[in-house]
């Protein structure tokens, strides 16, 4: 099984930056795509960004486009989310996920890392 561990969350003031990391282990050669999602208090989980493991395809939610940058380092088996110009509404638990089957969903999820943006 693929295991995913997020890190890099924390407390930051509005306008600040954070970089999240998602380290993958296990049969990572099977990963087709990875993504970042978030769940704010009292809200549904929402898509943030995704990247194909080859790096050729990248997608962002409109709410983060221009502020967040997703990337991956295949050699380190790690995906990143560089977050800039953070807003209080970015406060959420951020999860990374891995897609092995290319059927539209994600097969493995990390435990999440808390990001809190103060105003």
């Amino acid at each position: 099984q693929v295991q995913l561990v997020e890190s890099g969350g924390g407390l930051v003031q509005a306008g600040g930056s954070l970089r999240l990391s998602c380290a993958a282990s296990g049969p990572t050669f099977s990963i087709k795509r990875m993504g970042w999602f978030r769940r704010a208090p009292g809200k549904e989980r929402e898509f943030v960004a995704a990247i194909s493991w080859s790096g050729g395809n990248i997608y962002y939610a409109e709410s983060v486009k221009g502020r967040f940058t997703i990337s991956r380092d295949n050699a380190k088996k790690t995906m990143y989310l560089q977050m800039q110009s953070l807003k209080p509404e970015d406060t959420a638990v951020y999860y990374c996920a891995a897609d092995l089957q290319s059927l539209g969903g994600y097969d493995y999820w990390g435990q999440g890392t808390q990001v809190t943006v103060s105003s």
Side-chain angles (χ1 to χ4, degrees):
Q1 290 188 345
V2 172
Q3 295 179 327
L4 304 172
V5 179
E6 302 98 333
S7 61
L11 174 64
V12 64
Q13 288 188 329
S17 300
L18 278 175
R19 188 176 81 156
L20 305 183
S21 299
C22 174
S25 61
T28 57
F29 58 86
S30 300
I31 295 175
K32 304 297 188 297
R33 175 184 56 156
M34 293 189 73
W36 287 100
F37 292 76
R38 66 187 182 187
R39 177 174 285 156
K43 294 188 177 181
E44 297 288 323
R45 184 177 64 198
E46 65 173 354
F47 168 77
V48 175
I51 185 168
S52 60
W53 204 234
S54 66
N57 297 302
I58 291 176
Y59 307 91
Y60 294 101
E62 285 298 322
S63 59
V64 306
K65 201 172 287 185
R67 300 188 298 121
F68 290 9
T69 302
I70 190 172
S71 63
R72 88 282 176 265
D73 184 330
N74 289 356
K76 294 183 178 179
K77 299 181 181 181
T78 300
M79 177 179 64
Y80 304 97
L81 186 68
Q82 179 68 46
M83 306 185 294
Q84 298 177 316
S85 302
L86 283 162
K87 305 174 181 180
E89 51 263 44
D90 294 318
T91 295
V93 178
Y94 284 71
Y95 300 89
C96 67
D99 172 18
L100 277 61
Q101 303 182 74
S102 296
L103 296 177
Y106 288 84
D107 304 292
Y108 296 99
W109 295 81
Q111 82 290 350
T113 186
Q114 176 71 47
V115 172
T116 303
V117 184
S118 63
S119 57

